[in-house]
């Protein structure tokens, strides 16, 4: 298939060089999507239908067989050899069961080791004599040790996960899932499914995956390319809201970050932006040729108040103001017997007298300068935060030493979000077709608003676990979070079956649920791994370091990557101890690089 695309000759099929360049770029992307993937088989399953797909039971006829894989594969004649896992005909591979075989006679799973076919396993779903059993190959794939970047889960998608993956583009889905339930994989595979089902639309509007940090994005970055999807962008929330003019170089105290991240700040900013509008007190006198046209102050005030009442973006209203004034003058011209057209109106709107009124009444607003003034001018903040923030909260976010300019400010991550909000109040943020937001439980209300602006006309997949919140402003409930995101009508799904975390570990952690998230269901892991959890008591700090080294040596005897989790303050000390003991470690973010030694 790749050679077929590479051999295409487009010299005589395009009308001009622009079309040729576009087509050439599309061909290069297609070739890239067809790249061979080491250790990744093209198919992992087979479905044998009892009848031809789409045929009625009365019609009878011979059944059909389909190999299921990560992408569509056809032979030299164009006949399909492997069906994309996202195609409707592939769905029974994930949904069929003994109770509901979905007209499937046989489901075959293939086992691979290093890309080589090593085993297969059959389930005769329509045979009443065969008992339902757990797939040994499926269990082995789920429990296979993980090394390096995250892999796709197309061979192991469970029915409840498949329903979320295949949910439509029109609605937003929020997935609550405990550790190891596969919520991140579900979100990424939903993107892949949506790109398959709505490719043209999403090609126009774009898709985005938002993760908590760069290390996380490195970890998941290979999943979508493995499925042939290359156009999905990835970003953190901080990267979304920063620009060349606003670089995050500072940090807030926890209490200041909580107040800045509170949704009330959106109204404070809205008031501050609109405060720049002043009602006109002088009439407008416009000279055009030998005629003078006068618009009294009260008429100008009516135009300004009407634009304010419409509550449209500040910048859009500012652009509309000169046209509205020009229209008022054109009405006078028509009453005087003239016949002005659109060109005359545009000319009037560009007149120096009209521009002077617009500049005085509706001046331009720079979002960064606005936030700088709010955080450094106590009177300005108090004026617009009245009834919203308490005096103590206002003092919490005010800078002790005001900055001289936007460039000199050491902006914090929360400041950048405020600037992004102010920017949207001035001019609308571009909306994408679909956004995946992972580890969403750690976002502040203002961060939710920032992400929501990126999918205001599209949909979203929100992924997280309320019990794993790590920030002082962590999400308390999904309905509240979805309201801040602008998706209050989103469907909330809960995954309760764990696949990655051993049963002993998740049961131990779940003892905290009644205290930290009493409304959540406990995760029940299907992965059995006896001896996977041991709790050891160590008294002295020096003995603790030695115990950590012993645990690392013991863990390194097993297959897979090993992670050491410690408090930030202890990491340099432990890293040095590991180095001395001959166990060099990788810093966060390095563990998923291609050069990493597993």
């Amino acid at each position: 298939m790749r050679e077929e695309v590479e051999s295409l000759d487009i010299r005589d099929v395009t009308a001009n060089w622009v079309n040729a360049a576009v087509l050439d770029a599309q061909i290069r992307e297609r070739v890239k999507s067809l790249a061979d993937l080491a250790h990744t088989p093209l198919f992992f399953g087979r479905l044998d239908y009892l009848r031809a797909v789409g045929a009625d039971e009365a019609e009878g006829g011979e059944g059909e067989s389909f190999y299921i894989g990560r992408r569509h594969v056809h032979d030299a004649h164009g006949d399909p050899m492997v069906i994309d896992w996202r195609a409707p005909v592939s769905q029974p591979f994930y949904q069929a069961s003994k109770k509901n075989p979905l007209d499937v006679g046989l489901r075959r799973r293939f086992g691979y080791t290093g890309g080589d076919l090593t085993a297969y396993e059959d389930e005769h779903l329509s045979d009443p004599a065969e008992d339902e059993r757990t797939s040994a190959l499926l269990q082995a794939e789920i429990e296979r040790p993980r090394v390096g970047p995250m892999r796709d889960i197309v061979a192991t998608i469970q029915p409840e996960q498949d329903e979320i993956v295949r949910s439509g583009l029109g609605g937003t889905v929020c997935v609550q899932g405990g550790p190891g339930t596969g919520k991140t994989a579900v979100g990424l595979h939903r993107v892949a499914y949506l790109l398959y089902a709505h490719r043209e639309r999403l090609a126009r509007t774009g898709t985005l995956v938002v993760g908590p940090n760069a290390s996380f994005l490195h970890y998941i970055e290979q999943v979508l390319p493995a499925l042939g999807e290359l156009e999905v962008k990835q970003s953190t929330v901080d990267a979304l809201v920063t620009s060349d003019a606003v670089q995050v170089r500072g940090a807030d105290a926890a209490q200041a970050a909580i107040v800045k991240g509170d949704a009330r700040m959106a109204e404070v900013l809205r008031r501050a932006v609109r405060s720049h509008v002043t009602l006109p007190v002088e009439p407008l006198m416009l000279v055009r040729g030998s005629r003078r046209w006068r618009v009294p102050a009260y008429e100008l005030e009516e135009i300004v108040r009407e634009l304010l009442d419409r509550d449209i973006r500040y910048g859009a209203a500012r652009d509309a103001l000169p046209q509205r004034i020009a229209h008022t003058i054109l009405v006078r011209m028509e009453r005087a017997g003239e016949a002005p057209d659109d060109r005359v109106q545009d000319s009037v709107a560009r007149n120096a007298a009209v521009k002077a009124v617009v500049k005085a009444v509706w001046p331009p607003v720079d979002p960064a300068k606005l936030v700088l003034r709010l955080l450094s001018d106590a009177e300005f903040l108090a004026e617009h935060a009245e009834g919203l923030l308490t005096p103590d909260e206002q003092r919490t976010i005010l800078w002790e030493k005001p900055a001289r300019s936007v460039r000199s400010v050491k902006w914090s991550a929360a400041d950048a979000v405020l600037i992004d909000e102010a920017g949207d109040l001035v001019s609308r943020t571009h909306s994408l077709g679909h956004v995946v937001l992972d580890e969403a439980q750690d976002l502040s209300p203002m961060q939710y608003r920032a992400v929501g602006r990126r999918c205001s006309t599209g949909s979203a997949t929100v992924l997280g676990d309320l019990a794993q919140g790590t920030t002082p402003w962590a999400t308390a409930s999904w309905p509240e979070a979805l309201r801040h995101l602008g998706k209050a009508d989103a469907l909330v799904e809960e995954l309760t079956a764990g696949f990655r975390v051993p049963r002993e570990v998740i049961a131990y952690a779940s003892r905290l649920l009644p205290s930290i998230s009493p409304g959540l269901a406990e995760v029940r892991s299907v992965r059995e791994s006896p001896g996977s959890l041991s709790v050891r008591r160590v008294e002295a700090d020096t003995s603790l370091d030695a115990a950590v080294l012993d645990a690392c040596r013991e863990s390194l005897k097993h297959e897979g990557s090993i992670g050491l989790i410690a408090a930030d303050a202890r990491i340099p000390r432990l890293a040095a101890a590991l180095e001395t003991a001959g166990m060099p470690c990788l810093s966060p973010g390095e563990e998923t690089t291609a050069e990493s030694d597993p």
Side-chain angles (χ1 to χ4, degrees), residues 159-377:
E160 65 272 20
Q161 296 174 326
D162 185 68
E163 291 177 3
I164 297 172
V165 166
R166 295 177 191 265
S167 54
L169 178 61
T172 289
V173 178
C174 175
V175 182
Q176 157 66 40
T181 53
K183 54 185 178 294
T184 296
V186 166
L188 296 175
H189 285 69
R190 186 180 181 217
V191 171
Y193 172 77
L194 293 175
L195 286 166
Y196 175 87
H198 308 279
R199 187 165 302 280
E200 291 187 5
R201 178 177 172 183
L202 289 177
R204 294 193 306 270
T205 56
T207 52
L208 172 69
V209 174
V210 180
N213 50 57
S215 179
F216 177 87
L217 295 179
H218 287 317
Y219 176 63
I220 68 170
E221 65 185 356
Q222 291 304 316
V223 174
L224 290 169
L227 301 173
E229 303 301 344
L230 306 171
E231 298 301 317
V232 180
K233 297 180 180 179
Q234 298 182 359
S235 177
T236 62
V237 176
D238 290 348
L240 275 182
V241 299
T242 55
S243 63
D244 292 338
V246 179
Q247 292 292 327
V248 174
R249 296 183 296 152
D252 286 312
Q255 196 56 42
I258 290 173
V259 177
K260 290 179 181 180
D262 194 290
R264 292 172 294 168
M265 288 300 300
E267 177 60 21
V268 174
L269 288 166
R270 193 187 76 87
R271 291 179 182 179
V273 168
R274 289 168 64 94
S275 71
H276 288 75
V277 178
T278 56
L279 297 177
V281 294
E282 298 290 337
L284 165 67
M285 186 67 70
L286 184 140
V287 178
R288 185 174 174 82
S290 61
R291 303 291 301 270
R292 291 174 177 266
W293 305 99
R294 183 177 183 276
V295 181
Y298 75 87
E299 283 194 40
L300 295 174
E301 181 179 334
E302 288 177 358
I303 294 173
V304 172
R305 287 190 182 278
E306 181 186 355
L307 288 172
L308 286 172
D309 291 342
R310 289 174 60 188
D311 202 24
I312 59 178
R313 295 293 194 284
Y314 185 92
R318 187 174 189 274
D319 292 339
L321 180 57
Q323 291 291 335
R324 296 297 304 276
I325 295 173
H327 176 73
T328 300
I329 294 175
L330 256 67
V331 171
R332 283 171 164 71
M333 290 180 177
E334 290 171 347
R335 289 173 180 169
E338 296 187 19
D341 56 17
D342 290 344
R343 289 175 299 178
V344 175
Q345 179 167 331
D346 290 339
S347 175
V348 172
R350 295 193 301 268
N351 185 275
V354 174
K355 286 184 177 180
V357 170
V358 172
K359 184 177 181 180
V361 171
W362 213 293
V365 169
D366 181 282
K369 290 181 179 178
L370 175 75
V371 173
L372 184 151
R373 186 181 177 191
L374 267 178
L375 300 180
S376 58
D377 186 335

